[in-house]
Amino acid sequence: MSIGGAFSIAKSGLADIGANFAVMSQNIANANTPGYAREVTTQTSIAADGGGVKAGPTTRQIDTQLESELFSENGTLSALQTRLTALQQIDAVQGTPGGGGDLASLIGQLQDSFANLQTGPSNQASQAEVVNAASALTSQINALSNSYTQGRQNAQDTIMADVGKLNSTLATIGSLSDRIVGLKAAGQGTADLENQRAQAMQSLSQVINVRFIEQPNGDMLAATTNGLSLPLHAATPPLATQPATIGAGSSYPSTIPAITLNGADVTSQLTGGEIGAAVTLRDTTLPTYQGELDEFAETLSNRFDQQGLTLFTNPDGTIPPSGGAPVQSGYVGYAASITVNPAVAANPSLVRDGTHAVAGAPAGASAFTPNPAGGPAGFSATITRVLDYALGANVQDGVPQPAPVTSGLGPNGNLSASYSAPADLQSFATAVVATESSDSAAARSQATTEQAVQTALQSKVSASGAVSIDSEMSNMVQLQNAYAANAKVISALQSVWTELLQMVP
């Protein structure tokens, strides 16, 4: 081997060692940085110029398949956590089933107050107790309805924020990809930028279920799991929506704005993640709860009214009309306004006397005449009708109550309850409470399971790209030894070269 060849090999070795030292310093400095994957240098042999070794571009040391699975799990868990947060806020308003403050318990307390009144119909304290129990029931119905509306508003606000987050994160991934493509084309390392891009991809995967496909040139493609392509290199923000104030009668796509991609409605295609869960809460889950509660409020009002006691009404003393198309069109949002009939609140003795006469019908309630002014103080016909029929499964002996509506709910008539039509008000209240409680418990259980899965995947991904300080220090010792060896070669060659020059006359 010539002196020039030996010098070239030693020189390239020192350059390669220097490049490795730089990468090693980067790894050690970011050993505890979340999402950082260990960077390594590639090496290629130099055939020309006497041979040697050349440090190539840096790359990330990461299991990309595991990373892809983690991104998918991020979307699943984020969706569950978003759903659970919303349902737990409703749990707090609804109270513990059977705990005394839930709908079913309050119906029971109303029934108990009527039973107590039956023992002494003229007792004014007992009459007031009935009105108070009825008021407690309507207050809880109002509170639940308001919690549903607030939950939908929170979901809408989350969607607004997430659309902005989607646009900015897509732009970040696109910008980093542009730089990566340029550096790869120039034969330069891209590991630092790839780590930054992976962090942005991690953020995006929490907002929406998304898949990433890296291209041979280093660019990245992104698409939802149902195939909607997400633009990474758009000149202007591609996704848009508008703010909205949500009410009980608000619905998508009628009065709630769509999420658009370059002007096209893609609301139904943005599934999973925080934004997908928020859309489901806003447009399906919470409106269904509202529809169920509105039906309960309407049924409660009508079952008392048909027995001759208009106890539950709007603040103006009216009961909203039933029927229509959609079926709840006349009483969407009634649960938010239902109250004790102002006339009864002003004159509690009406819970004994009744408010109006009932003509009677074979398929409806039997005939009833209210207690007239100055009538018997021990009049109990109204109380008996309430206990036997308004709160019972039959509208009169042998005639079942009209079944509550369980399908065609909501302002658009496109929602359905998850239970069969309950026969009596107690069962109806129990079904309303149990539905939300069951949904909340299921979300809690699923979130716990998926959290464990995500943690396991995160550990595996971190392990595949983890920086080991011990390993880096061991490599440093090897590099130091190699550096010393190459330096000695150069020093020896310098001595040889000096002697040769001295030999030349």
Side-chain angles (χ1 to χ4, degrees):
M1 178 184 294
S2 66
I3 293 176
F7 181 78
S8 176
I9 292 172
K11 180 181 177 183
S12 67
L14 289 175
D16 179 66
I17 292 167
N20 275 277
F21 268 125
V23 173
M24 184 180 299
S25 298
Q26 175 84 353
N27 287 336
I28 293 173
N30 289 280
N32 296 318
T33 301
Y36 179 85
R38 182 172 183 264
E39 299 178 6
V40 295
T41 57
T42 57
Q43 295 177 330
T44 56
S45 298
I46 302 173
D49 300 327
V53 66
K54 180 181 179 181
T58 56
T59 60
R60 294 173 76 226
Q61 180 179 282
I62 195 77
D63 188 324
T64 55
Q65 179 59 40
L66 279 175
E67 190 174 49
S68 178
E69 292 178 17
L70 176 61
F71 291 153
S72 177
E73 186 60 31
N74 286 343
T76 299
L77 179 59
S78 181
L80 283 168
Q81 290 174 331
T82 299
R83 179 176 178 80
L84 180 58
T85 297
L87 295 184
Q88 286 178 328
Q89 291 171 348
I90 294 171
D91 288 344
V93 176
Q94 178 170 267
T96 304
D102 60 288
L103 283 184
S105 295
L106 291 169
I107 282 286
Q109 291 167 24
L110 178 63
Q111 185 171 12
D112 290 344
S113 69
F114 270 103
N116 184 52
L117 179 62
Q118 193 171 38
T119 64
S122 62
N123 188 306
Q124 294 182 353
S126 295
Q127 295 169 3
E129 179 188 350
V130 169
V131 173
N132 290 338
S135 179
L137 177 60
T138 58
S139 293
Q140 177 63 4
I141 295 172
N142 299 158
L144 277 174
S145 180
N146 292 336
S147 73
Y148 300 155
T149 300
Q150 185 59 57
R152 295 183 70 197
Q153 185 65 59
N154 292 343
Q156 171 64 19
D157 295 342
T158 294
I159 291 167
M160 282 292 300
D162 281 346
V163 166
K165 189 184 299 183
L166 276 174
N167 283 328
S168 62
T169 309
L170 289 171
T172 297
I173 296 172
S175 175
L176 290 168
S177 295
D178 287 340
R179 295 169 63 187
I180 289 169
V181 169
L183 290 174
K184 278 186 177 291
Q188 299 182 41
T190 59
D192 283 348
L193 294 176
E194 289 176 18
N195 269 324
Q196 294 176 45
R197 184 171 67 180
Q199 284 293 92
M201 291 159 64
Q202 175 100 337
S203 296
L204 189 67
S205 70
Q206 294 169 348
V207 179
I208 190 172
N209 278 350
V210 62
R211 294 182 296 110
F212 299 102
I213 303 174
E214 186 171 2
Q215 301 301 289
N217 66 348
D219 199 6
M220 188 68 69
L221 299 180
T224 63
T225 51
N226 53 13
L228 178 67
S229 179
L230 300 174
L232 299 175
H233 305 285
T236 57
L239 289 151
T241 191
Q242 298 297 321
T245 299
I246 305 297
S250 301
S251 64
Y252 163 82
S254 302
T255 55
I256 296 177
I259 304 171
T260 61
L261 175 62
N262 296 324
D265 185 351
V266 294
T267 307
S268 62
Q269 294 175 271
L270 300 178
T271 59
E274 189 174 77
I275 196 168
V279 168
T280 300
L281 284 165
R282 183 195 68 183
D283 299 340
T284 304
T285 305
L286 298 180
T288 299
Y289 294 167
Q290 182 69 57
E292 293 169 353
L293 191 64
D294 287 339
E295 190 64 27
F296 176 77
E298 182 76 355
T299 301
L300 175 69
S301 298
N302 284 326
R303 289 195 179 180
F304 273 79
D305 183 70
Q306 68 191 358
Q307 298 301 332
L309 175 59
T310 307
L311 183 57
F312 301 102
T313 67
N314 276 311
D316 63 1
T318 63
I319 298 174
S322 300
V327 67
Q328 289 190 318
S329 58
Y331 54 97
V332 170
Y334 178 44
S337 62
I338 187 174
T339 188
V340 173
N341 183 354
V344 177
N347 183 12
S349 64
L350 290 174
V351 300
R352 174 199 62 190
D353 298 336
T355 55
H356 61 279
V358 176
S366 60
F368 167 72
T369 300
N371 193 22
F379 184 82
S380 62
T382 306
I383 303 168
T384 299
R385 290 170 69 88
V386 166
L387 290 171
D388 290 349
Y389 304 124
L391 293 168
N394 292 328
V395 66
Q396 64 170 293
D397 289 344
V399 180
Q401 292 277 10
V405 175
T406 57
S407 61
L409 304 178
N412 293 337
N414 61 337
L415 305 170
S416 297
S418 60
Y419 47 78
S420 299
D424 57 71
L425 291 172
Q426 182 77 49
S427 299
F428 200 166
T430 299
V432 170
V433 171
T435 295
E436 192 280 333
S437 297
S438 177
D439 288 346
S440 181
R444 186 181 303 107
S445 176
Q446 292 168 10
T448 299
T449 299
E450 297 301 335
Q451 179 69 71
V453 173
Q454 190 213 42
T455 299
L457 278 172
Q458 183 66 67
S459 296
K460 291 180 180 179
V461 171
S462 297
S464 72
V467 175
S468 169
I469 299 297
D470 290 341
S471 296
E472 297 295 336
M473 296 305 294
S474 177
N475 291 337
M476 179 180 293
V477 172
Q478 295 179 27
L479 289 174
Q480 288 174 332
N481 292 337
Y483 187 94
N486 281 282
K488 287 180 180 179
V489 170
I490 291 178
S491 178
L493 289 173
Q494 184 178 20
S495 297
V496 171
W497 186 252
T498 300
E499 290 182 9
L500 288 174
L501 287 176
Q502 291 175 351
M503 295 171 61
V504 176

